Amino acid sequence: MQLVINTFGAYLSRRGELFQVKVDGQSTEISARKVRSILISTGAAFSSDAVQLAVEKNIDILFLDKYGDPFGRVWHGRPGSTTAIRRMQLVAAQTDFGVQLALDWVGRKFDNQISLLTRMRDRRTRLSAQLTEAIGSLKTLKEQAHDLTGNIDARRQSLLGLEGRAGRTYWGAVSLLLPTHFRFEGRSRNPARDPFNCLLNYAYGILYGVVERACLLAGLDPYIGFIHTDHYNKPSLVFDLIEQYRIWADESVLGLFSSRKIKQDLFDKLKNGLTLNKAGKAVLIEAFTAFLDEATRYRGRNITRRDSIQFDLHRIANELLERDTDTKDSE
């Protein structure tokens, strides 16, 4: 489970092998064996003993700002892999192999978006013409991404441009799927200008934390990316990898609107946008966590979506190790 601390003034401490959370004089205890990670999304305090228990049990503590973006993490200092993985990751970032990996991830993103819009078209027949047009555009852009030529830097820049065009097409179609009074004009961030983007930004923030954790467990360096290479001091690999998983956040947020769980009182107004309040965060976190922990079919077996990310990243790490072995054998 993910332990979520979402109440201002909460206090996290340790009692033996238990985490103890105190909120407004009430205390709750959770066995450390049941906790996968701890997410703190508001002003809270914690004891060094609680941090020690988390480190001992390989539990990361992730901090989110008011927009849902991760700004810090407590993690053990032990390396999770051999140095060979990160060495080959650096090599791959400068070769066609790394670019091809990233192209495959973006291809999955296009496939996911096309699949979602196709399913929605089957349910929303009145939007058939608009969704069909968007699906066709995304298919064309996917083919263009697959056929990119030129040197590595040129392909990186071209891919980012294609992603931008695809995003405008995709989000225009997604907006049509919402109730009329919740429709939006494109993506907006920090702060969001509308409820949909406000929820989506927060869901993406949670997803960033999940993907970064999976990187660390697999022995990959989150800061060595293959496409987003110019983001200084940012987890570039996480930016690359998350593209293929964003659809889960999209689906979760759409599902909240479809089930009529989104009300205006879940948001607080800012000078130039919106932010989720405590009740809004609770609704989003509960829904998205349940979605990530739902079992799905993965390579012939049933595992949670969250665990499938970990399996994917271990496969990438193994591919890098195999390339390192092949390089040594050829010397």
Side-chain angles (χ1 to χ4, degrees), residues 84 87-89 91-92 95 97 318-331:
R87 182 175 65 246
M88 290 306 298
Q89 193 179 339
V91 172
T95 65
F97 176 71
N318 287 333
E319 286 184 54
L320 291 170
L321 284 175
E322 288 172 5
R323 287 180 64 83
D324 184 46
T325 301
D326 291 343
T327 300
K328 290 177 180 177
D329 288 344
S330 64
E331 292 177 351

Side-chain angles (χ1 to χ4, degrees), residues 2-281:
Q2 183 175 59
L3 174 58
V4 178
I5 299 178
N6 190 33
T7 302
F8 184 84
Y11 180 65
L12 175 68
S13 60
R14 173 181 185 172
R15 193 173 75 82
E17 297 297 293
L18 304 174
F19 288 110
Q20 189 174 63
V21 183
K22 292 183 180 179
V23 179
D24 297 331
Q26 301 295 316
S27 179
T28 303
E29 294 182 342
I30 305 99
S31 171
R33 290 179 298 176
K34 298 180 179 180
V35 179
R36 177 191 291 110
S37 62
I38 300 171
L39 190 153
I40 300 177
S41 63
T42 188
F46 52 88
S47 69
S48 57
D49 286 345
V51 174
Q52 182 180 4
L53 178 59
V55 170
E56 289 172 353
K57 302 300 182 182
N58 202 26
I59 299 168
D60 64 320
I61 304 175
L62 180 67
F63 301 90
L64 302 181
D65 65 18
K66 63 181 179 181
Y67 303 118
D69 293 326
F71 67 85
R73 164 179 260 120
V74 176
W75 188 258
H76 63 71
R78 301 182 298 274
S81 71
T82 65
T83 307
I85 294 176
R86 297 191 178 191
R87 182 175 65 246
M88 290 306 298
Q89 193 179 339
L90 281 167
V91 172
Q94 304 301 320
T95 65
D96 285 338
F97 176 71
V99 174
Q100 189 56 55
L101 279 177
L103 284 170
D104 290 343
W105 302 334
V106 173
R108 286 179 63 180
K109 174 185 177 180
F110 280 122
D111 287 339
N112 291 336
Q113 292 177 340
I114 291 167
S115 175
L116 175 62
L117 295 184
T118 300
R119 282 184 278 124
M120 292 298 104
R121 182 181 59 184
D122 293 340
R123 302 173 190 172
R124 314 282 183 89
T125 54
R126 62 183 177 80
L127 297 173
S128 179
Q130 296 100 312
L131 295 180
T132 297
E133 182 179 358
I135 291 166
S137 297
L138 289 173
K139 287 181 177 179
T140 298
L141 290 167
K142 180 191 173 185
E143 291 173 1
Q144 292 175 5
H146 182 268
D147 296 334
L148 287 177
T149 59
N151 62 37
I152 292 174
D153 287 336
R155 277 183 287 164
R156 283 173 177 151
Q157 291 305 313
S158 296
L159 181 60
L160 292 173
L162 289 172
E163 282 192 280
R165 290 164 57 189
R168 289 188 289 274
T169 297
Y170 173 69
W171 293 119
V174 168
S175 179
L176 296 174
L177 301 173
L178 299 177
T180 304
H181 58 287
F182 279 123
R183 290 180 179 176
F184 59 96
E185 293 292 334
R187 289 283 287 123
S188 57
R189 305 170 181 82
N190 299 339
R193 295 190 298 268
D194 56 82
F196 181 87
N197 276 291
C198 194
L199 288 159
L200 191 68
N201 292 344
Y202 211 91
Y204 281 167
I206 295 172
L207 191 58
Y208 277 119
V210 173
V211 174
E212 185 177 21
R213 180 179 189 273
C215 281
L216 294 168
L217 288 175
L220 295 163
D221 190 326
Y223 290 84
I224 303 174
F226 301 148
I227 294 296
H228 296 88
T229 56
D230 296 328
H231 291 265
Y232 175 72
N233 209 27
K234 297 290 185 180
S236 300
L237 182 64
V238 177
F239 295 164
D240 288 347
L241 288 164
I242 199 173
E243 298 300 336
Q244 59 196 313
Y245 307 116
R246 287 186 188 274
I247 197 68
W248 296 340
D250 304 352
E251 287 193 45
S252 293
V253 174
L254 276 172
L256 288 172
F257 283 95
S258 297
S259 58
R260 300 181 181 180
K261 293 182 179 179
I262 302 305
K263 310 295 182 184
Q264 291 291 350
D265 60 5
L266 298 179
F267 308 90
D268 290 336
K269 291 185 178 181
L270 301 175
K271 182 178 180 180
N272 55 345
L274 299 173
T275 184
L276 277 175
N277 56 31
K278 178 184 174 182
K281 291 176 184 177

